Structures are given as C-alpha cells and as structure tokens.
C-alpha cells in the first residue's frame, strides 16, 4: 500500500470518527463487527455473535427460499443466510448468538471491530433490503445495522412462510 | 462456604431433594389411598428416613435453615410413626408441593426455601397433638437412625456419581463429531490414499479403521446408555396428578401405573412429562363420570385410570386409558362445524376414527368453557406435535360409554436412527426407515388424477402424491422410483431418482428458522461434512391440491 493511500485511508477513518462524534449524543456505546457483503458494509453487535468461521461445506436448501443452505457446526445444524438476499454462499459465516436458533450471516470479509454510539444509527425507511431499518452514515461510507431480532423477523427470513426474494 | 461455591452445589442438591420428595409423595399417596378417607399410620414411611435425613443435612450445610427445619420436623413425625387424620395426609401432600416450590426458588437464586416456617409450625403441631404412636417407635431412636442413615449414604455415594445433564448433552455431541471424523477418515482414505499404498499397508490401515469404528460405536452405545432415564421419573407424578384432578373435579378415581423400570433417553422422558400430565388430567376431567352417574350406569363409583409403559425394542409405548364415558363423535362433528373447521357435509361423511383425529387440531376443543384442570397448558394438538417431534405416533381409540385409550409410541432414543439415503433432484436426502411403507419403480399407469389431484394407486388404494423434487429445484424432473411413506394424515407417495443406501446415523435436531420452513425434522452429518436433511413425512404438504406429479 502506498504512503498516499495509507494517509487517505487514515483521513477517511478520522472523518468517520469526527462524523460519529458530531452525530452522537451522550448515549450507550456498543461494539460492532463490521463485515463486507458485496458492496455493502454491515454492522452486527458483537454481543449477538457466537463465532465467526470460514463457511464450511454447505448443503442446499429448498428452492424459492431465502436461505442459502445449511451447514454443521459442532453438532448444531446452522441455517446460512445471505444478507443481500442473493442466495450466495459467502466466504465467512458469522454465527449469531440467538437462543433456540442456529443462524449464520454470510460475509465476504471482516472490515473490523468498531465502537459506535446508539445515537449514531439513524432510522431509514424504504431500504431495498427488508431487514434494514437503521444505518450509520459517515462522510465516506455507510454501514447498515444488522439487528438480529429485526433480521430474523424480516419477511422471508422469519420461519413459517416461505417467500421468494 | 462462599456463595459461588454454594451455587455450584445447588443443582445436584435440588435434584436429589426432588427425588426424595417425589418418592415420599408416592408412598404417601399409597397410604392415603389405602386409608380410604380414614386415619392412617405414617410408620410405613420409615423407609424414606434416610433420604429425608440426607436432604436435611445438605440443606443445613448449604445454609437453608427453613428447609432443613421443616424436613427435620417431618423426620420426627415419621420416626414416631404417628397415626394422622385424612386432612393431615392431604396437608403432607401439600407440604411436598411447598418443598418443590422452595427448591425451584433456590434454583432461581433464593438463599432458602422461604415460607416453610409456617409448615414447620404445622408439623410441630401435628407432633404435639401426639395422636397414636406406633408400637415400635422406640426402635427409631435418633442416634441409631442417624448413624444408620449416614453409613448407608456413604456406601451409596461410593457406587454412583451425579453428572450434570449439560455434560451428558455435550458428550453426546462430541461422540457425534467423533463418528463424523471417523467416517471422513475412511472416506478420504478410499478416495485419495488407498491406491497409492501397498497391499500390506492398506490392510494395516483398514484394520486400524475397523478398530477405530468399533471403539467409536462402543463409546456411542455407552453414551446412549448413560443418557437413559427410567420412566419412573415421570410416572411417579401420575397418582398425585390424578388425585388432585379428582379432588378438584369431584370425581372418584383409582390409578394404576406400571412400567416404571422401562428406560428412554433423557430428552425423550423430559418431553413426555407434560404430555403425560395432560393426558392424565384429561382422563379424569373429561373421561371419568361423577360417582353418581357411574353408579346409575352400573359402573363402580370410582373410575379407573391406567397408565402403562411398555418397552418394545427401539420404542417405548405409553398407554393412558380410562373407563369413563368415552368421546361422543357426534358432538365432535357438531363442534367442528360450529367452529368452522369443516362443512356440515364433510363432517357427516367422515367416519368416527377420522372425527376423533380432529381433536388433535390446534384450537379444537369440545368444551365451551375451559376447565380449571385440563383446559390449561398443553392441548391435544401439542401432545401430538411433541410426540411427532420425537419421531413417534399417537393413536386414539374411544368407545362411547366404555372409555378412551391413548397409545403413544416414541423411540427410546432420538440420538440415532436407521435411515435410507435417496436421491432427489440430484441431491441426497434421508428418510427414516420406519416411516417407509414401500419403495419401487414408478409405474406411470398407477398414476390417477381424481378431481385433478395426482394420486398413486398402491395396494388398491389411492395415495396422494407430493412433488418433492420441485421443492429443491423448480426445473427438476421427478425420479423413476416411488416411495410410499407413513404419516399421521394417512400414507403419502413421493418420487425419487435413486436409492443410495441405508444405515445408522447420528441425528441432529433442527432449530428455527429451519424447523418451520421445510419438510424436515432433523439432519445428519455425512462423512464429507455435508449436512444430510432428514425428511419428515408429516411435514410434507398435507394438502395434495398443491401436488402435481
């Protein structure tokens, strides 16, 4: 990486930090794992993550369903989901910590671990992805908040009714 | 002792105390039943002194003076072999409930079983009232009893070890991983290494694999054995449940329980506990008639409820039977129509067996108002769902005026099953062998379409067909073989491309969101690490109007 690109990256991060400080009221700060899926950055509260693994052998699931497939993780059978709803098996599986549910979110890469204030997240409406209701907007990037409760209750991802994307 | 040290000891203590109270309660119920409403001697409860003494000692050590005090007073009463009135017997049964509630509170973090001081006073009053003391009371001098109790306890503890349930669950999962790794090793050897080795080297490796597999199977068998629990753990609750239900509904009931020694996997036994409670309460509340009515019908005043458990190979059969009024199929018909479940025509056409199965539908009840007893908690729909999730089945028979019989059949263990591996839409799928009625080549001439719905003529019956391949891939063609599967709503036929083999496999339960969105109830992990989904015929589309062959 050249000196200029490093400086550019550092400047971008500093801008993001400034933006978050300006936007955040004195609120609760949480740690998020920011992942890359396609061209989207997605933040998942670290407290909701059980483990991150290289996606193991995935077996196909039914057609017409948003689930990408299933895989075995230490005896548990996990459903693999694609946050972009493209039914793509991505390189990494972020296994969520949800009682009674074994679900993983696919990711292409880990961007990093970041601390963000609750107030940094802004409500959004009419997002293309049905599970997105909040977003962080820095000057150079946007992070979609993946709240596991919202995510698993979104049409198509919630159990019961099968819906095509 | 530090609080965190105490906390570690709470669960084993509570489990042991619960067992002691449950056994005591069973004995108490026998005494009450034999007394038939008259006074009774408590001398017959002396066999339980050792267990009570242990509970008292441990409660004291863990800093629970209220629990220890109440148990101490109970011990005193038993030692003296008092004769007590019927209402005191009822009081002692209520005390068992208080003990259980106290243990639940302690498990939840309370420091002691609060509220037991009142009961200690009550027990003291019982002791002070004196009543009659059995003649051999002197043989139960405190010192002698305590010494014997302590000695016996030491001997018993040396022979057994209490293991945390979570540890057993973890052990079972690890054994599953071990089987998986062992299968993967052999598969990799066959695919990549076998041809590169000399004959002698291959033999050595094959022998090593065989030894490894034998050992793994042996560990698996022993792990399965370790998880077996006697059905007695839930059956001993039955007399008390029936007694309380009878008391509240004004019935007279005699209960017969058998098969306590039959064993099943811990998970199976735990799942059956609520099912059994519901069926027994149902039998008393809805089945058994009032004493007056029974006598007018020429029956004994007390109704009979029989709970029998039988071990049948890999299955356990649980029968809950009563000699009450039976189920009025016509009333079920009229309620089904009234509540909009079926049209009047469909209800009139359905035979009685079909009508009885409607009782398992969610939200169906023939009672206008739920009763205090069986109208709460699980319904018959949940009973069936629980049994189905265990891989079992429920049969209901009822004869008007003569009684009702539920027969539940569940596997001893849900950890391992015999499966057939088949190919559907180019991918492997597993089917439990016990659900397969028949397999064979698909005969296009056996395909019929009554009312536009595809059915397969099998043994002179038209069996509805469900298109399985298209659920995996919308453009997949159906296979050249057919398979008839058993399910609660009657047989169903699916087409498969090939039969790949059969064998025993470790089952992994499915959790949400998988469980509610496909025709699968469990999965297994194949040698190559892929998940093999296990088809549950009951989850196949029941409505064959969705089917196209």
């Amino acid at each position: 990486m050249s000196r200029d690109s490093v400086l550019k990256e550092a400047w971008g991060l500093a801008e993001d930090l400034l933006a978050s400080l300006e936007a955040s009221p004195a609120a609760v700060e949480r740690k998020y794992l920011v992942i890359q899926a396609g061209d989207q950055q997605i933040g998942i509260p670290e407290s909701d993550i059980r483990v991150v693994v290289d996606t193991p052998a995935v077996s196909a699931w039914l057609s017409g369903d948003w689930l990408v497939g299933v895989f075995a993780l230490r005896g548990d059978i996990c459903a693999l989901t694609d946050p972009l709803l493209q039914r793509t098996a991505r390189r990494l599986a972020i296994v969520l910590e949800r009682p009674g549910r074994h679900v993983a979110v696919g990711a292409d890469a880990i961007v990093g671990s970041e601390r963000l204030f609750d107030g940094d997240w802004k409500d959004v409406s009419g997002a293309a992805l049905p599970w997105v209701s909040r977003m962080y907007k820095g000057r150079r990037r946007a992070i979609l908040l993946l709240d596991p409760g919202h995510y698993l209750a979104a049409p198509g991802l919630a159990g019961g009714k099968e819906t095509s994307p | 002792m530090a609080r965190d040290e105490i906390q570690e000891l709470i669960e084993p203590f509570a489990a042991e105390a619960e067992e002691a109270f449950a056994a005591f309660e069973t004995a108490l119920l026998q005494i009450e039943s034999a007394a038939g409403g008259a006074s009774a001697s408590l001398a017959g409860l002396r066999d339980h002194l050792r267990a009570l003494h242990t509970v008292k000692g441990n409660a004291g050590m863990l800093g629970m003076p209220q629990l220890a005090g109440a148990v101490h007073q109970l011990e005193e009463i038993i030692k003296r072999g008092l004769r007590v009135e019927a209402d005191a017997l009822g009081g002692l049964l209520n005390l068992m409930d208080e003990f259980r509630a106290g243990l639940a509170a302690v498990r939840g973090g309370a420091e002691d079983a609060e509220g037991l001081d009142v009961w200690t006073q009550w027990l003291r009053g019982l002791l002070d009232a004196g009543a009659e003391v059995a003649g051999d009371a002197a043989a139960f001098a405190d010192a002698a009893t305590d010494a014997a109790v302590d000695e016996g306890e030491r001997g018993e503890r040396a022979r057994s070890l209490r293991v945390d349930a979570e540890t057993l669950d973890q052990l079972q999962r690890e054994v599953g991983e071990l089987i998986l790794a062992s299968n993967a090793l052999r598969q990799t050897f066959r695919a990549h290494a076998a041809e590169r080795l000399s004959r002698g080297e291959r033999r050595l490796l094959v022998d090593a694999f065989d030894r490894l597999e034998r050992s793994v199977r042996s560990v698996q068998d022993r792990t399965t054995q370790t998880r077996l629990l006697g059905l007695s753990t839930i059956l001993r609750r039955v007399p008390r449940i029936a007694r309380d239900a009878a008391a509240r509904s004004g019935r007279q009931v005699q209960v017969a329980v058998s098969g306590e020694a039959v064993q099943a996997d811990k998970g199976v036994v735990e799942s059956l506990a609520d099912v059994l409670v519901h069926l027994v309460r149902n039998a008393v509340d809805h089945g058994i008639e009032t004493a007056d009515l029974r006598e007018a019908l020429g029956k004994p005043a007390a109704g009979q409820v029989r709970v029998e458990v039988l071990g049948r190979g890999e299955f356990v059969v649980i029968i809950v039977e009563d000699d009450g009024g039976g189920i009025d199929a016509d009333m079920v018909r009229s309620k089904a129509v009234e509540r909009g479940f079926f049209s009047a025509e469909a209800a009139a056409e359905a035979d009685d067996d079909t009508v009885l199965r409607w009782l398992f539908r969610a939200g169906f009840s023939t009672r206008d108002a739920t009763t205090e007893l069986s109208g709460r908690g699980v319904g018959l729909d949940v009973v069936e769902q629980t049994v189905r999730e265990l891989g079992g089945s429920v049969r209901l028979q009822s004869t008007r005026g003569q009684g009702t019989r539920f027969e539940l059949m569940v596997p001893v263990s849900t950890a391992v099953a015999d499966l057939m591996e088949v190919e559907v839409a180019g991918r492997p799928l597993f089917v439990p062998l016990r659900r397969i009625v028949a397999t064979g080549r698909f005969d296009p001439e056996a395909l019929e379409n009554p009312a536009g719905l595809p059915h397969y003529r099998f043994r002179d019956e038209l069996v509805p067909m469900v298109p399985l391949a298209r659920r995996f891939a919308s453009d997949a063609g159906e296979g050249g073989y057919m398979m008839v599967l058993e399910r609660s709503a009657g047989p169903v036929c699916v087409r498969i491309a090939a039969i790949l083999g059969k064998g025993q496999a470790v089952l992994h339960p499915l959790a949400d969101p998988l469980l509610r969105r496909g025709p699968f109830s469990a999965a297994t992990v194949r040698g190559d690490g892929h998940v093999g989904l296990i088809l549950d015929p009951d989850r196949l589309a029941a409505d064959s109007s969705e089917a196209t062959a």
Side-chain angles (χ1 to χ4, degrees):
Chain A
M1 195 181 269
S2 72
R3 184 172 166 274
D4 281 350
S5 62
V6 170
L7 281 173
K8 201 172 168 187
E9 184 66 28
W11 182 249
L13 288 171
E15 278 188 326
D16 283 346
L17 185 64
L18 276 172
S20 76
L21 286 173
E22 283 165 14
S24 60
V28 181
E29 190 189 47
R30 290 178 215 278
K31 278 185 89 177
Y32 294 84
L33 183 72
V34 180
I35 59 169
Q36 187 82 41
D39 56 2
Q40 297 285 356
Q41 287 197 359
I42 297 166
I44 308 173
E46 288 193 358
S47 56
D48 288 323
I49 295 173
R50 185 171 137 204
V51 66
V52 178
V53 293
D54 283 329
T55 304
V58 176
S59 300
W61 185 246
L62 301 169
S63 67
D65 195 310
W66 279 354
L67 298 185
V68 179
V70 290
F71 65 86
L73 180 73
R74 305 290 303 158
D76 290 336
I77 306 298
C78 286
L80 180 64
T81 62
D82 176 11
L84 304 187
L85 308 176
Q86 294 166 351
R87 300 196 69 184
T88 301
R90 300 182 187 277
R91 191 173 68 79
L92 299 170
I94 319 297
V95 183
L96 301 178
E97 181 72 67
R98 306 296 292 174
R101 291 184 168 207
H102 299 140
V103 190
V105 178
D108 296 317
I110 302 289
V111 176
S113 174
E114 299 190 27
R115 287 183 180 278
L116 291 167
F117 288 98
D118 282 358
D120 292 340
W121 299 100
K122 303 297 175 201
D123 290 341
V124 290
S125 56
L129 298 167
W131 53 266
V132 176
S133 62
R134 309 194 84 193
M135 183 189 282
Y136 162 81
K137 267 192 175 172
R139 291 186 186 161
R140 295 180 63 245
R141 62 174 184 163
I143 304 173
L144 307 177
L145 173 64
L146 192 151
D147 171 77
H150 264 114
Y151 185 68
L152 296 173
L157 285 171
K161 194 167 175 66
E162 291 168 20
T163 316
S164 295
Chain B
M1 199 182 294
R3 190 65 206 162
D4 53 346
E5 284 177 311
I6 289 177
Q7 207 54 42
E8 277 182 22
L9 298 172
I10 292 293
E11 183 48 43
F13 160 72
E16 195 170 16
E18 256 175 6
E19 269 177 33
F21 295 144
F24 185 84
E25 184 181 69
T26 304
L28 207 52
L29 283 165
Q30 283 164 355
I31 288 174
E32 187 191 52
S33 174
S39 65
S41 164
L42 299 181
L45 294 169
R46 283 171 180 160
D47 288 348
H48 297 270
L49 275 175
R50 175 187 292 177
L52 290 177
H53 188 71
T54 304
V55 173
K56 179 181 76 174
N58 288 340
M61 186 184 74
L62 293 170
M64 300 174 193
Q66 288 209 35
L67 183 56
V71 176
H72 172 72
Q73 286 303 322
L74 184 60
E75 259 189 295
E76 292 302 307
I77 285 174
I78 311 300
K79 281 178 190 170
R80 306 270 166 99
L82 288 187
R83 175 169 285 278
V84 297
E85 296 302 323
D87 60 346
L89 286 173
L92 288 172
L93 285 168
N94 292 338
L95 175 61
M96 294 303 118
D97 292 337
E98 293 297 324
F99 281 154
R100 267 191 287 267
L103 290 174
V106 165
R107 275 184 163 127
E111 291 192 359
D112 196 355
E114 299 293 334
L116 282 177
D117 282 347
V118 180
W119 285 92
T120 305
Q121 289 300 325
W122 178 77
L123 288 165
R124 211 169 277 148
L126 214 57
L127 203 59
D128 291 345
E132 293 173 37
V133 177
D136 57 351
F140 285 83
D142 288 2
T145 309
D146 290 355
V149 164
D150 292 342
E151 187 60 34
E153 195 180 310
R154 272 195 294 276
E156 225 163 69
R157 285 196 174 167
R159 285 195 302 273
S160 64
L161 191 66
R162 221 170 249 283
V163 181
D164 178 47
E166 177 53 34
T167 305
L168 285 182
D169 290 345
Q170 184 63 34
L171 185 61
Q172 192 184 38
R173 282 196 289 273
E174 294 296 342
V175 170
E177 291 292 316
L178 203 54
I179 291 172
L180 184 62
S182 158
N183 290 345
L185 258 181
R186 191 185 279 270
Q187 204 165 337
T188 310
F189 164 70
R190 279 189 191 137
H192 305 294
E195 61 193 26
R196 288 185 231 149
L197 300 173
S198 70
R199 195 173 170 165
E201 287 168 334
R202 276 203 302 273
R203 179 172 292 280
L204 274 175
L205 264 176
V206 167
D207 284 350
F209 282 138
D210 287 346
R211 283 204 309 278
L212 175 66
E213 275 178 14
R214 274 198 300 275
S215 292
V216 169
R217 292 283 166 206
S218 172
V219 172
Q220 185 195 353
D221 287 348
R222 283 173 192 273
T223 308
T224 306
Q225 287 287 326
T226 314
R227 290 174 53 89
L228 293 182
L229 273 184
L231 266 291
S232 59
T233 51
I234 55 173
L235 286 178
R236 66 185 174 208
R237 294 168 63 191
V238 168
R240 178 70 193 275
I241 292 159
R243 171 202 178 270
D244 290 354
R248 274 180 257 172
S249 62
R251 266 56 165 187
Q252 289 181 28
V253 178
Q254 285 183 342
V255 185
V257 179
S258 62
E260 291 95 332
V262 176
Q263 292 185 316
D265 183 84
K266 171 177 104 47
V268 173
V269 175
E270 285 167 358
S271 297
L272 287 174
D274 284 346
V275 166
L276 201 59
V277 168
H278 182 76
L279 292 180
V280 170
R281 281 183 180 164
N282 231 7
V284 176
D285 188 35
H286 296 322
I288 303 296
E289 312 93 331
T290 60
D292 290 347
L293 180 56
R294 289 181 63 88
E295 283 178 334
L297 293 167
K299 293 179 173 181
Q304 304 287 321
V305 173
R306 187 172 72 88
V307 179
E308 184 180 10
V309 176
L310 305 162
R312 283 193 191 150
E314 296 300 305
F315 288 86
V316 173
V317 176
I318 299 125
I319 296 162
V320 179
E321 191 172 31
D322 68 70
D323 70 344
I327 299 169
D328 183 347
D330 285 335
M331 188 174 77
V332 180
R333 278 189 185 87
S334 83
K335 290 290 175 192
V337 174
E338 188 183 308
R339 293 179 186 187
F341 282 100
F342 294 97
S343 67
E345 294 74 27
E349 278 174 19
D351 60 30
D352 284 359
D353 284 344
T354 306
V355 168
L356 289 184
R357 293 223 54 89
W358 294 351
L359 293 170
F360 292 102
R361 293 178 76 98
F364 193 97
S365 169
T366 56
R367 289 284 169 109
D368 288 325
T370 55
T371 65
E372 188 189 350
L373 298 177
S374 41
R376 292 181 183 171
V378 296
L380 282 182
D381 57 324
V382 181
V383 167
E384 187 180 49
Q385 190 189 335
T386 305
V387 172
R388 285 280 163 207
E389 280 172 9
L390 292 172
S393 60
V394 184
R395 282 179 61 200
L396 165 61
Q397 294 170 293
S398 188
T399 307
R400 192 87 184 105
Q402 291 180 29
T404 301
R405 173 189 167 103
F406 286 88
E407 189 175 309
L408 282 51
M409 193 172 191
V410 294
V412 170
S413 170
T414 53
V416 178
D418 290 313
L419 302 173
M420 180 179 277
E421 186 175 2
V422 300
E423 186 188 313
V424 176
R427 62 199 75 193
L429 196 66
F430 291 82
V431 186
L433 274 181
R434 58 192 153 78
R435 305 297 289 273
I436 300 174
V437 179
T439 54
R441 282 206 166 276
F442 178 74
D443 176 7
E445 293 193 359
L447 187 63
E448 298 185 25
N449 288 287
L453 303 176
H455 283 66
Y456 195 79
R457 183 161 289 285
F458 173 72
R459 293 176 189 162
D460 291 331
E461 263 187 58
L462 280 178
V463 178
M465 296 198 70
V466 171
L468 197 54
R470 287 178 204 173
R471 299 211 64 189
F472 282 101
S474 52
D475 56 348
E478 298 286 350
Y481 292 86
M482 67 86 196
M483 191 157 58
V484 177
L485 305 173
E486 179 194 277
R487 63 174 181 173
S488 58
V492 64
C493 181
V494 293
R495 287 173 69 175
I496 55 175
I499 296 170
L500 302 175
K502 59 183 178 181
Q504 208 176 50
V506 177
L507 303 187
H508 300 267
L510 293 184
D512 279 336
L514 297 171
L515 194 57
R516 287 189 291 159
R517 56 200 303 146
F520 314 108
S521 55
T524 187
V525 182
R526 304 169 70 218
D528 60 3
H530 277 88
V531 170
L533 293 162
I534 300 173
L535 189 69
D536 180 351
D538 284 304
R539 290 173 187 265
L540 283 169
D543 179 3
S544 54
S545 64
E546 289 177 19
T548 49

